[in-house]
Every structure is written in C-alpha cells, then in structure tokens.
Amino acid sequence: MEKVTPFLMFQDGNAEEAMNYYTSLIEDSAITSITRYGANEAGDEGTVMLATFSLKGQEFMCIDSNVKHDFTFTPSFSIYLTCTSEEELDELYGKLIQDGQALMSAGDYGFSKKFGWLNDRFGISWQLNLPH
C-alpha cells in the first residue's frame, strides 16, 4: 500500500467551490491539482474530473460525479480539526455553519474545553475541538 487519502464525491458540480472555500479558511492549505472534464467527455465540461487539495498538510481527493446517487455525505465521516484557541474555533465554526446545519453547537461538553460539530453547506461534516 502506498498511501491513504480521504476522497470526497460532490454531485452538484461544486467540488471546486468547496475546495476554494476550505483552503481559504484553513492556513497552510492549497489546491494542488485539478483535472477538468472536457467537451464530449463523461462529465459536464469544466467540472472536476479529479482534484487534490490539502488542509494543513492532510491531502484530500475529490470529484464532481456526473452520476446522481441516492446517497450523499454523512456525519459518520467528518473532518476533525484540533484548534489552538477558542477564537479560532469560534471563527471556523461561524464560517462553516453558514447555510449548513449544527449537529452540536460550539460549547463545553466536558470532554474538551470547547467542541462543535456541523455539516457545512456542501454537506461535509466537521468536528472542531479545543482540547483542555
């Protein structure tokens, strides 16, 4: 085995928008490659055939699926961020929750100083933690 990489499949042609959004929120993050569908290919021209991006050094892959599926993202798989300050957690939570859904609002649940869990506007689940 060479490596393990989380893979995100978007169904509404918004993989690139999501990557741009995530890399703008998290420092030391970048889109590293994008291959787009061309004319007369299996996907909508210009959408993401395959892309890679990194968030704070963790690499992800993603696509815009040209096939509609009966499933989407689920909170049972989430991106877990360990924050360094309450301000950082609050800022990220506030930005990620826009047009999203709170699963656990940012607060003290006893197992850490502060914790929040949400689904963002793209359906990706995020857990933000500030350890004791």
Side-chain angles (χ1 to χ4, degrees):
M1 181 180 310
E2 189 174 314
K3 69 194 256 188
V4 176
T5 307
F7 187 93
L8 305 174
M9 181 184 69
F10 294 87
Q11 296 191 75
D12 297 319
N14 54 14
E16 187 169 7
E17 179 185 356
M19 287 187 300
N20 283 322
Y21 186 59
Y22 301 152
T23 57
S24 75
L25 293 179
I26 299 171
E27 65 182 22
D28 301 325
S29 299
I31 297 171
T32 51
S33 71
I34 300 178
T35 303
R36 300 176 194 285
Y37 287 105
N40 303 316
E41 292 187 322
D44 293 338
E45 186 174 0
T47 61
V48 175
M49 181 187 294
L50 180 64
T52 58
F53 65 102
S54 67
L55 301 177
K56 196 73 174 175
Q58 172 63 56
E59 185 178 59
F60 292 82
M61 296 173 70
C62 69
I63 63 169
D64 282 316
S65 177
N66 60 320
V67 176
K68 295 296 180 194
H69 300 278
D70 291 333
F71 55 85
T72 186
F73 299 112
T74 170
S76 65
F77 178 87
S78 58
I79 299 172
Y80 190 94
L81 302 178
T82 302
C83 299
T84 57
S85 70
E86 189 168 350
E87 294 77 20
E88 179 184 46
L89 188 146
D90 289 341
E91 181 180 347
L92 286 169
Y93 190 95
K95 290 178 179 177
L96 288 166
I97 194 68
Q98 292 175 8
D99 298 322
Q101 172 193 19
L103 301 175
M104 293 175 75
S105 59
D108 181 352
Y109 294 95
F111 52 80
S112 64
K113 186 173 182 181
K114 194 167 196 176
F115 179 84
W117 193 353
L118 60 98
N119 289 338
D120 69 20
R121 69 181 185 222
F122 303 106
I124 301 293
S125 180
W126 297 80
Q127 295 185 59
L128 286 69
N129 186 53
L130 178 61
H132 285 291

